[in-house]
Amino acid sequence: MKYMLMMAGSRQGCDEMATWSADDLKAHIQFMVRFSEDLVESGELVGAQGLAGPEGTKIVKAQPGGPPVVTDGPFPETKEFLAGFWIVDVESEARAIEIAGQASAAPGRGGAPVQIPIEVRQVGEAPAVET
């Protein structure tokens, strides 16, 4: 079963991360790299990406009979945003939750777990279409 593990971010969290020492930031990044490498070695990682901050985000909406409407977003009142994701192919939801828990425990200031919120959602499968 495939699951998408979505890491939430916030402006507050980004501001706090900017105050970490160079060693704390390095430890966090090394953890994330090693974490993804472990998932590759286990054969469970389908894909993973960190995302740029939301300030460059565009929202696109179709417009009948014309070009799509493009607006900036998310808006300043947005408190959380998608910071990155992993797609894993695992035997069970329990394993996906276990992996999400490991990601959530990434080290932060002084090595303390940052407890990043990770949303676990099963990847849907399209129904079979007869031709």
Side-chain angles (χ1 to χ4, degrees):
M1 293 181 281
K2 290 182 184 168
Y3 287 86
M4 184 174 216
L5 313 179
M6 295 169 278
M7 180 189 318
S10 68
R11 294 194 192 285
Q12 178 184 356
C14 290
D15 291 346
E16 180 184 322
M17 197 173 194
T19 68
W20 292 3
S21 71
D23 287 343
D24 288 342
L25 190 56
K26 182 178 178 181
H28 181 81
I29 292 169
Q30 286 175 335
F31 172 91
M32 288 298 187
V33 168
R34 192 169 46 255
F35 176 72
S36 290
E37 288 172 349
D38 289 347
L39 290 173
V40 168
E41 287 178 23
S42 71
E44 295 172 307
L45 186 65
V46 174
Q49 290 292 315
L51 301 175
E55 55 279 347
T57 302
K58 303 293 182 212
I59 297 174
V60 179
K61 185 176 179 183
Q63 179 177 319
V69 175
V70 180
T71 58
D72 291 337
F75 300 100
E77 63 272 8
T78 300
K79 294 181 181 169
E80 288 190 347
F81 51 85
L82 182 61
F85 65 89
W86 297 266
I87 297 178
V88 295
D89 192 352
V90 294
E91 293 295 319
S92 66
E93 181 183 72
R95 176 64 180 143
I97 290 170
E98 178 183 357
I99 294 168
Q102 292 169 0
S104 179
R109 180 177 286 132
V114 291
Q115 299 176 310
I116 303 166
I118 308 289
E119 180 179 338
V120 177
R121 188 181 305 177
Q122 188 171 1
V123 174
E125 296 183 21
V129 179
E130 294 184 32
T131 57

